[in-house]
């Protein structure tokens, strides 16, 4: 127990020293690497932030003075007085310049009016001269147009007469060509095709020749004869088939009658055998009844067996 207590005390002391050294190491690490000014959000709680911060407006061209910052407005620049004085001087210069320009414009306007009056008078004289020239030219043009129209009318009349005469000659030539041509004369040679003698031109064909018609009639006669021959062969073939069907039907009828006779003979023989058997059964029955009434049963069986043998 003493030994265990001693060991426990030693372990507790070691644990306290370890804790103390760990706390010391953490404190030193925080002092060296985790100081308040090294934090990311230190600028939110820095007591000297206002002293370190720059003034709101250092100059008119400060890039920090954006529109949303509302630190600079129109007419509130730092050089307001110098700018105002410069604007007044500029306005005075502009006024003097406008007066000089107004006087120069009035002088130019007066000179322009005089020049315009001279130009208008000159234009009027030129227009009068041009009007006289135009009237003379119009008269000459009208005379030339009248002469040209007269010559054109004469030339048009002569041309119409020539065209009418040429048209009449062309019509007479066309009529004579049509009357003498292959179309109205119905020449069969005009339907001959350049692709071979066996082909014709459809829009010029005027009918078959006598040789072609004779050939067609000959072919038709041959076709009729061939058709008659085929019909005769078919009729002979049908007659053969009818004769064979009749023979087969007659043979089948004879065979059926033969079978009916055989069945009748068999039935007759069967009836005879059944009749004889029935008679035999009646006789046997009658004999058994007589034996049963006259003799004992044993003698009956003995006689019956003997008779049966």
């Amino acid at each position: 127990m003493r030994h265990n207590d001693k060991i426990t005390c030693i372990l507790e002391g070691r644990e306290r020293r370890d804790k103390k050294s760990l706390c010391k190491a953490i404190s030193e690490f925080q002092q060296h690497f985790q100081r308040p000014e090294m934090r990311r959000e230190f600028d939110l709680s820095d007591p000297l932030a206002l002293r370190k911060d720059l003034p709101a407006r250092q100059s008119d061209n400060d890039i920090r003075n954006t529109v949303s910052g509302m630190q600079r407005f129109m007419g509130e620049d730092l050089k307001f007085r110098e700018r105002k004085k410069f604007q007044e001087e500029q306005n005075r210069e502009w006024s003097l310049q406008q007066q000089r320009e107004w006087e120069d414009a009035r002088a130019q306007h007066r000179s322009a009016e005089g020049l315009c009056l001279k130009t208008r008078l000159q234009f009027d004289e030129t227009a009068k001269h041009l009007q006289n020239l135009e009237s003379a030219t119009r008269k000459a043009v009208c005379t030339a147009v009248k002469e040209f129209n007269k010559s054109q009318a004469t030339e048009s009349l002569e041309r119409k007469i020539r065209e009418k005469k040429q048209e009449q000659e062309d019509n007479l030539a066309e009529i004579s060509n049509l009357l003498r041509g292959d179309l109205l004369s119905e020449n069969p040679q005009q339907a001959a095709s350049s692709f071979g003698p066996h082909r014709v031109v459809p829009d010029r064909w005027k009918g078959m020749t006598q040789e072609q018609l004779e050939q067609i009639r000959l072919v038709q006669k041959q076709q009729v004869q061939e058709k008659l021959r085929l019909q005769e062969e078919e009729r002979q073939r049908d007659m053969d088939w009818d004769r064979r069907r009749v023979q087969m039907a007659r043979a089948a009828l004879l065979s059926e009658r033969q079978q009916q006779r055989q069945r009748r003979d068999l039935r007759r023989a069967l009836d005879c055998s059944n009749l004889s058997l029935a008679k035999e059964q009646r006789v046997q029955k009658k004999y058994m009844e007589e034996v049963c009434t006259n003799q004992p049963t044993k003698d009956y069986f003995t006689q019956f067996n003997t008779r049966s043998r």
Side-chain angles (χ1 to χ4, degrees), residues 89-101:
E89 292 291 337
Q90 191 175 15
N91 289 332
R92 186 167 56 253
E93 292 292 334
W94 285 352
S95 298
L96 294 175
Q97 186 178 0
Q98 285 179 358
Q99 289 178 3
R100 288 194 297 270
E101 290 178 354

Side-chain angles (χ1 to χ4, degrees), residues 16 59 88 95 135 150 175 188 249 292:
R16 284 195 299 273
S59 64
E88 290 176 355
S95 298
S135 60
K150 188 181 293 184
I175 292 170
C292 288

Side-chain angles (χ1 to χ4, degrees), residues 73 78 93 171 216 258 264 309:
F73 296 95
L78 298 178
E93 292 292 334
N171 292 333
I216 291 173
Q258 182 69 24
R264 192 165 49 249
R309 292 174 183 173

Side-chain angles (χ1 to χ4, degrees), residues 130-170:
L130 291 175
Q131 188 174 5
N132 294 330
L133 291 176
E134 184 180 0
S135 60
T137 305
R138 188 180 295 112
K139 290 179 181 178
V141 169
C142 289
T143 304
V145 169
K146 188 181 294 183
E147 295 294 332
F148 178 76
N149 291 334
K150 188 181 293 184
S151 63
Q152 288 290 326
T154 305
E155 185 179 355
S156 177
L157 182 61
E158 293 177 355
R159 186 175 63 254
K160 288 181 179 179
I161 294 172
R162 289 196 304 269
E163 289 178 354
K164 187 174 182 180
K165 184 177 179 181
Q166 185 65 32
E167 185 178 0
Q168 290 177 356
E169 293 177 358
D170 293 340

